[in-house]
Amino acid sequence: MARIGFVGLGNMGGPMARNLVKAGHTVIGFDIVPDALARAVAGGVTAAGSAAEAARGGADFVITMLPAGEHVRDAWLGSGGMAAASDPGAVLVDCSTIDVATAREVAAAVGRPMLDAPVSGGVMGAEAATLTFMVGGPAEAFARAEPILQAMGRNVLHCGEAGAGQAAKTCNNMVLAATMIVTCEAFTLAEKLGLSHQALFDVMSKSSGQSWSLTTYCPVPGPVPASPANRDYKPGFAAALMAKDLGLSQEAAQSVGIETPLGAHAHALYRRFLEQGGGEADFSGIIRMLRGGG
Ligand code: NAD
């Protein structure tokens, strides 16, 4: 069993760290928010006094699950001091969703094997240990980290060198946003045309309009009982996080000099939803804004 340092014990990191404990690993955790740390400790995580202390205590693997690129850079290379504190033989893993450029910059600067391993599956996936990990970085470090990631997820995919995990995540979420929006538009149009939600669901789920946004995460109540639409769009995956991810995909597109017009429009629609107070709602809640004409 491994010793694992885990920094960032929020909505995702908290349950992920607890799943590592359940799998029999020793987890030394830290979060700047005392409540988050206390919840993790209740789940069997050993509290560290700082990010560096967690990194030092996790001799085999050190994992971060932080909000954004600036937090990741600061934790590993800046005031967090994690890279310097960690054991030279440790595999370093960042599971946060951040921009490709920062992932590559941090991996190059830490000067030892580091993986970018963002996830999809949301808080439900983190709790149930059914996340999908998209991993970039050296093959040897991936091979060592794979069993650890499997204790927190169902699919662990090596996508290429440093930054490839973030690249895969940003492409996937751009598709997710666009399919969610157009699925919401289809239900809104069906409502106006007098077609029931269930009838549209039954047809589309067996036709070429089928997608994850429809069959797993249906944006209207009824057809998929577990979807956030059935609990007043309580997340799930908050619209604010989707807007953040779409910003990352637009940054990535700009950095390589291409346009992604549907991705850009999805970003604009989610930003408008946030301006209208939708940020805390699940991202499928954008159907409310679309019903109102956007
Ligand atoms: P969160 O805000 O709940 O958790 C982040 C945690 O990091 C917080 O508890 C915060 O206190 C802590 N933190 C911030 N700076 C710190 C520091 N310097 N040292 C220690 N702790 C620090 O966010 P989350 O929902 O857990 O998301 C984490 C990452 O996962 C984000 O990059 C997000 O985009 C990504 N993600 C989230 C979801 C989701 O559904 N929530 C799904 C997939 C990916």
Side-chain angles (χ1 to χ4, degrees), residues 7-8 10-12 31-33 65-67 97 119 122 236-237 241 244:
V7 173
N11 292 325
M12 296 293 291
D31 195 291
I32 48 174
V33 172
M65 191 51 162
L66 297 168
T97 302
V119 301
F237 183 47
L241 285 173
K244 171 201 154 187

Side-chain angles (χ1 to χ4, degrees), residues 135-158:
V135 188
E140 190 188 295
F142 174 77
R144 282 178 60 196
E146 197 176 4
I148 301 300
L149 301 179
Q150 269 162 351
M152 301 181 281
R154 193 154 49 194
N155 303 301
V156 180
L157 305 166
H158 191 215

Side-chain angles (χ1 to χ4, degrees), residues 183 203-211 214:
T183 302
V203 170
M204 279 214 302
S205 61
K206 296 196 171 37
S207 306
S208 44
Q210 191 273 338
S211 71
L214 178 74

Side-chain angles (χ1 to χ4, degrees), residues 113-139:
M114 180 160 196
L115 302 170
D116 50 292
V119 301
S120 73
V123 176
M124 286 182 287
E127 280 166 358
T130 56
L131 294 169
T132 293
F133 286 86
M134 299 151 242
V135 188

